[in-house]
Structures are given as C-alpha cells and as structure tokens.
Amino acid sequence: MQAFASSNLTVEKEELRSADSLPDFSSESYKDAYSRINAVVIEGEQEAYSNFLDLAKLIPEHADELVKLGKMEKKHMNGFCACGRNLAVKPDMPFAKTFFSKLHNNFLEAFKVGDTTTCLLIQCILIESFAISAYHVYIRVADPFAKRITEGVVQDEYLHLNYGQEWLKANLDTVKKDLMRANKENLPLIKSMLDEVSNDAEVLHMDKEELMEEFMIAYQDSLLEIGLDNREIARMALAAVI
Ligand code: PL3
Ligand code: FE2
Ligand code: FE2
C-alpha cells in the first residue's frame, strides 16, 4: 500500500514538472502569442509611467517620489521591448491599447476630477498586483534573457504597490467608501483582462489558475496591509466574480 502510494506520487510530480517545462521560444505559435502578451506588458508599463506622472500632480507633496517611481516604469518598458526584439517578435500595440482602454479611461476620468483614491487603487493596487502576479508566473517559464529582465522589474513593482498601500492606509478613514466603490467598478475589468489573454498566456506555459492565485495573494495582502478587515476584503474580492 505504501509503495503504491509513493509511486503515484512520483507520477504526479513528473506530470507537474512536464506541465512546467519550457516552451519552444522559436516556434511560430509562441511568437504569435508573445506578440500580444509582450505588447500588453509594454503598453502597461508605458501607461504606468504616465499614471505616476499624473499621481505626482494629485499628490504634490510626494511629487519627487512619484516621478521617480514613474521613471522606473519607463525602464521596465525598455526592458520588455528588448525581450520582444530578442525573440524577433513585433509587439501588437493596437491590441494592447484596446486591451487597456477601459481601465485607462477610468484612471483618466478619476484624474480629471481629482479622485486620488480611485487613481491609486487602479494603478498601485490593481495594476501593480496584476503585474506582480504575471511576472512571477512568467519568470518560471521565460527564456533566459527575459527571465533576467523580469526578475529585476518585479522587485520595483513591489515599491509601486507599497506606495499606494501606505497612502491609502494613512487616509483610510476618509477614503474607505470611495475605495470600495472604485474597486467594484475596476476589479471586474482586471478579471476580464485576464480572461482575454489567458489563451495566449497558456501558449507561454503560464497557467490561468496560477495567475489568478498569484493575483489574489498580492491583492488581498495589500488590502490587509491597508487596514481592511477579513470581511471587507472578502467583499471586495467578490467583485471579481459577481
Ligand atoms: C506596471 O508596473 C506594469 C503594468 C503591466 C501590467 C501587465 C499585466 C500583464 C498581464 C498579461 C499576462 C502575463 C504576461 C507576462 C509576460 C511578461
Ligand atoms: Fe513596471
Ligand atoms: Fe509598476
């Protein structure tokens, strides 16, 4: 019985390892999927740069820090452009612009009316958690060049998440209602964005459930850090499924 159980375990482990194995980076199907995923990441970094510059205008007392965080995004963008070039892939930028348009419009609308809470939720909590989860999963299955670049990038993304977290924590009493409302409007967009790229991500050997799991970890951890309780966090997370 013991021997039977342990040989089952070996099979399971082998299956897991082969599911995790590296894709063929030079195949046409890989390059096709990569043209959209790479573009999404480039566009995401570019928009993050401009969002941080806008945030610097909303929170002038932290302008220097926010401009510095924004400049990191430009570097990230250049790094991911190099990843595409390295694989001889042309990023599909029109796809990526459409991919981000709803979320980006919501950011710009909030910026126009000076709604700092919504801007921080969108950029620092939702987008950065999305990036952190995607980059962690990608690092496990990336080509060696992109792996090195992404490992450097993901460290910076925690600083970006952290900035929003700290501001929201310090202002929680006055912004909680707005935070909940903004989350209800924007978390479902993240879920549909993930759905939209999940087939391409699969071609890169990035598992959708793993992506969702990593996202929920980063997102819930940050809400906890901001000072929300378990019930409030559960209520917020549910916005992704209903
Ligand atoms: C802000 O610092 C970064 C904004 C980028 C967000 C991109 C999210 C990407 C999700 C697409 C699926 C994973 C692909 C990862 C490959 C590098
Ligand atoms: Fe970034
Ligand atoms: Fe970032």
Side-chain angles (χ1 to χ4, degrees):
M1 195 57 201
Q2 192 60 42
F4 185 64
S6 82
S7 78
N8 260 355
L9 202 67
T10 317
V11 173
E12 241 175 62
K13 262 195 207 151
E14 260 161 24
E15 274 169 7
L16 276 178
R17 213 175 302 133
S18 76
D20 251 17
S21 69
L22 293 182
D24 175 358
F25 305 116
S26 59
S27 70
E28 279 316 307
S29 57
Y30 188 90
K31 288 166 75 168
D32 173 58
Y34 202 81
S35 70
R36 287 176 293 280
I37 298 275
N38 185 228
V40 160
V41 173
I42 292 169
E43 177 66 20
E45 297 291 357
Q46 166 72 41
E47 290 184 13
Y49 167 71
S50 102
N51 291 349
F52 274 107
L53 296 193
D54 283 347
L55 281 165
K57 292 176 202 141
L58 289 177
I59 315 172
E61 63 275 28
H62 294 166
D64 289 350
E65 182 178 359
L66 286 160
V67 169
K68 208 166 92 191
L69 297 178
K71 284 183 179 161
M72 291 177 185
E73 307 291 24
K74 264 271 139 98
K75 274 202 198 132
H76 298 169
M77 189 193 81
N78 291 331
F80 287 122
C81 288
C83 294
R85 272 199 307 276
N86 181 54
L87 296 176
V89 168
K90 183 173 178 281
D92 183 347
M93 296 314 294
F95 172 83
K97 283 213 186 323
T98 311
F99 178 83
F100 274 106
S101 59
K102 281 195 189 140
L103 195 60
H104 195 51
N105 278 339
N106 285 357
F107 181 97
L108 293 176
E109 290 297 319
F111 173 66
K112 258 193 255 163
V113 296
D115 179 355
T116 307
T117 304
T118 299
C119 288
L120 284 172
L121 174 84
I122 293 179
Q123 178 56 46
C124 296
I125 310 300
L126 298 180
I127 296 182
E128 299 295 351
S129 294
F130 194 27
I132 286 169
S133 58
Y135 297 166
H136 273 310
V137 176
Y138 179 57
I139 283 168
R140 298 169 198 154
V141 290
D143 66 86
F145 179 83
K147 182 173 174 348
R148 203 161 34 84
I149 302 250
T150 312
E151 280 168 346
V153 168
V154 79
Q155 296 312 318
D156 290 347
E157 308 302 11
Y158 281 104
L159 302 176
H160 302 162
L161 181 71
N162 201 55
Y163 177 84
Q165 223 170 255
E166 291 305 310
W167 191 95
L168 292 166
K169 185 180 187 166
N171 296 280
L172 189 59
D173 288 348
T174 47
V175 306
K176 197 189 268 189
K177 255 195 162 162
D178 281 341
L179 186 67
M180 300 267 189
R181 181 205 30 82
N183 180 76
K184 211 169 188 160
E185 288 166 9
N186 291 287
L187 183 62
L189 296 180
I190 297 282
K191 174 64 171 58
S192 358
M193 289 159 81
L194 181 62
D195 288 341
E196 204 183 332
V197 283
S198 64
N199 286 341
D200 285 330
E202 204 69 53
V203 176
L204 273 52
H205 289 198
M206 298 172 67
D207 179 56
K208 185 178 181 185
E209 275 184 27
E210 217 178 315
L211 282 164
M212 280 165 53
E213 209 173 276
E214 292 279 356
F215 174 82
M216 279 302 172
I217 292 172
Y219 170 74
Q220 293 181 343
D221 270 0
S222 83
L223 297 181
L224 199 61
E225 191 53 43
I226 288 169
L228 295 151
D229 66 30
N230 281 337
R231 182 174 301 276
E232 289 164 331
I233 294 174
R235 210 181 298 143
M236 285 177 80
L238 273 178
V241 285
I242 49 181

